[in-house]
Amino acid sequence: MVLKIQKNHGTANQKLVKQSNLTLVFNYINENQPVSRASIAHATGLSPTTVSSLVDELIVESMVLETGVGKLSGSGRKPIMIEVNPSGGCVVGVEIKAGRVDFEVFNLEGRSLLYHERIISDYSNLGDIISCEVERLCNGFGRLLGICIGVPGVIDRKTKRVLSTLIPIKPDNDFFSVLCKRFPDVKIKLGNESSYCAYIEKAESKKGIRDLVYIDINVGIGAGIILDNRIFTGAFGNAGEFGHVSVDINGRACKCGNRGCLEAMAGTPAICEAAGVTKISEIDTSDEKTLEKLHDIGRYIAAGINNIVNMINPEMVILGGEIVKLGEPFLEMIRRELETIMFDVQSEKISVVYSSVDGNPVTKGAGRYLLDRIFEDGDFIIE
Ligand SMILES: [Zn+2]
């Protein structure tokens, strides 16, 4: 997904070019294996000498293996085929959420090896909890290469501290630097969870879509934005705080201090309240009376989507999170509302769909994002 040819770059130093080329070669092998050195050179545009030296480095690092002799096409020697070494190391995707931290361990091919939920109530020692769990869970899966953490909140790009209305984390909680001290040689990245949801959605099933918005609707609401094939995070890294876009200036008060925020008006607590249930899974939207109770919620969500469409004009809007449990009748209701309020020229073109990712999109997206950049420096989502 991040394949881009970078044989040379005027301003980048040698290290950056090498990291970029290692990424290019490793990702090509991962997506096309088994492959020969010659086919890597042909596909990437790198010289055969550069490819050989990069592949040798990956072999020394145990990240790829020579797996045998391939078929001869033409004259000369039969090529030696290269594959990713599935047990050459692992990465962990982490989601910090209310009352729980979820972990998913992946091998170098991106295959999920295990999933673990850790219940927590005290967030003051979050750094130690994550460190201990990562060490314990990765034991036996080879070298730990990276940890990528998704959070439901805004992140101070400089201090790596998190502000959230959804998790009881204090502004001075220093979990990120605890992790960096505990794992000095491991890549550690931090980002908003919705960005990882958008990333995995595109990587798994929406590769051809350049501009999409993933709206994650749970207790909280956030958006992951992909523009021109890249995660868009804005000047300070916190674009996509869509839950705090107001859809009613006289609406109910939100924890952030504003009124009528989408999160307050259409998050799962508001949905359950409107339907008169305690859990979203209890709602049967094939019943017309039940669906009617959710009409205002659908209007708020449609108003939010309309705002985002008018602002950045994506090709697709994907709704994910618990809202998917409301099924097709609810989605149809949102589409009908959009047809009423949106410019025709927009509504005819845009698709509004539910997420198609199985499992936890945050841990999966975090793991995939990290694997796609395993040779690159940087600790924060900056595309
Ligand atoms: Zn708010």
Side-chain angles (χ1 to χ4, degrees):
M1 175 177 166
V2 289
L3 284 187
K4 67 178 176 212
I5 292 172
Q6 187 161 7
K7 280 189 280 194
N8 208 343
H9 195 291
T11 54
N13 61 30
Q14 257 183 328
K15 190 181 168 200
L16 277 177
V17 172
K18 183 160 173 210
Q19 285 172 349
S20 175
N21 287 342
L22 273 170
T23 303
L24 181 62
V25 169
F26 182 72
N27 289 350
Y28 180 77
I29 298 170
N30 218 342
E31 286 175 17
N32 299 281
Q33 59 183 334
V35 291
S36 66
R37 287 173 173 80
S39 65
I40 299 169
H42 181 73
T44 60
L46 297 169
S47 76
T49 323
T50 305
V51 167
S52 272
S53 129
L54 294 169
V55 168
D56 287 349
E57 192 168 324
L58 291 170
I59 291 172
V60 170
E61 293 287 326
S62 301
M63 295 183 75
V64 302
L65 299 166
E66 289 183 331
T67 54
V69 179
K71 283 186 193 146
L72 190 63
S73 61
S75 58
R77 280 188 305 168
K78 287 182 181 172
I80 295 166
M81 303 308 278
I82 314 287
E83 286 182 34
V84 167
N85 178 7
S87 52
C90 65
V91 300
V92 191
V94 181
E95 182 187 9
I96 301 173
K97 50 211 287 188
R100 227 170 78 191
V101 183
D102 288 8
F103 300 83
E104 190 162 11
V105 183
F106 301 90
N107 72 6
L108 292 187
E109 292 175 319
R111 192 160 54 81
S112 176
L113 300 170
L114 68 81
Y115 195 90
H116 176 69
E117 299 171 2
R118 165 76 189 255
I119 305 290
I120 63 165
S121 52
D122 178 9
Y123 283 69
S124 63
N125 57 351
L126 191 57
D128 289 329
I129 291 173
I130 296 175
S131 302
C132 291
E133 289 290 0
V134 166
E135 267 175 3
R136 186 176 71 80
L137 297 168
C138 293
N139 191 15
F141 293 130
R143 191 163 48 117
L144 171 63
L145 293 168
I147 305 166
C148 189
I149 304 161
V151 292
V154 297
I155 301 160
D156 184 317
R157 187 175 268 192
K158 208 165 163 193
T159 64
K160 311 293 183 302
R161 290 175 184 171
V162 174
L163 277 177
S164 173
T165 54
L166 300 165
I167 52 174
I169 190 166
K170 297 229 168 85
D172 62 348
N173 192 309
D174 221 5
F175 73 91
F176 191 84
S177 48
V178 172
L179 284 167
C180 291
K181 278 185 201 132
R182 186 82 155 253
F183 303 103
D185 301 320
V186 170
K187 308 261 182 218
I188 305 178
K189 289 183 185 282
L190 181 65
N192 187 287
E193 59 178 18
S194 303
S195 296
Y196 297 128
C197 294
Y199 191 82
I200 194 67
E201 195 79 39
K202 179 166 168 61
E204 279 196 351
S205 61
K206 314 282 187 313
K207 280 198 170 106
I209 297 187
R210 295 173 70 88
D211 304 293
L212 66 83
V213 175
Y214 182 106
I215 305 174
D216 197 18
I217 304 184
N218 295 297
V219 174
I221 296 180
I225 303 167
I226 292 189
L227 293 182
D228 202 13
N229 287 327
R230 292 159 178 254
I231 295 176
F232 175 76
T233 55
F236 303 107
N238 291 309
E241 275 304 313
F242 188 53
H244 299 286
V245 167
S246 180
V247 287
D248 181 354
I249 56 167
N250 299 309
R252 56 171 78 175
C254 177
K255 286 179 188 168
C256 73
N258 197 357
R259 283 199 166 270
C261 290
L262 193 61
E263 184 167 300
M265 306 300 279
T268 47
I271 293 172
C272 291
E273 189 187 317
V277 299
T278 52
K279 276 194 272 178
I280 204 164
S281 55
E282 293 165 16
I283 301 172
D284 174 12
T285 53
S286 64
D287 175 59
E288 281 201 16
K289 279 189 183 154
T290 305
L291 191 61
E292 184 52 36
K293 288 183 191 169
L294 299 178
H295 189 234
D296 282 349
I297 301 275
R299 290 185 64 204
Y300 291 132
I301 293 172
I305 292 173
N306 191 39
N307 288 345
I308 222 165
V309 167
N310 281 324
M311 194 77 76
I312 60 174
N313 195 18
E315 193 177 340
M316 180 177 277
V317 172
I318 299 155
L319 301 178
E322 285 217 87
I323 197 168
V324 172
K325 293 177 185 160
L326 294 178
E328 280 301 315
F330 185 69
L331 185 59
E332 267 308 314
M333 190 165 79
I334 292 173
R335 287 177 180 142
R336 279 197 303 274
E337 183 62 24
L338 280 171
E339 278 173 23
T340 318
I341 63 173
M342 212 176 243
F343 284 122
D344 288 349
V345 65
Q346 305 268 44
S347 66
E348 283 160 11
K349 289 183 184 150
I350 191 166
S351 323
V352 180
V353 299
Y354 280 140
S355 166
S356 59
V357 172
D358 288 328
N360 182 343
V362 180
T363 52
K364 276 179 100 171
R368 184 74 257 165
Y369 180 84
L370 186 55
L371 274 174
D372 286 344
R373 288 156 185 78
I374 199 67
F375 304 102
E376 293 174 16
D377 292 331
D379 47 23
F380 194 79
I381 286 190
I382 304 169
E383 289 278 299

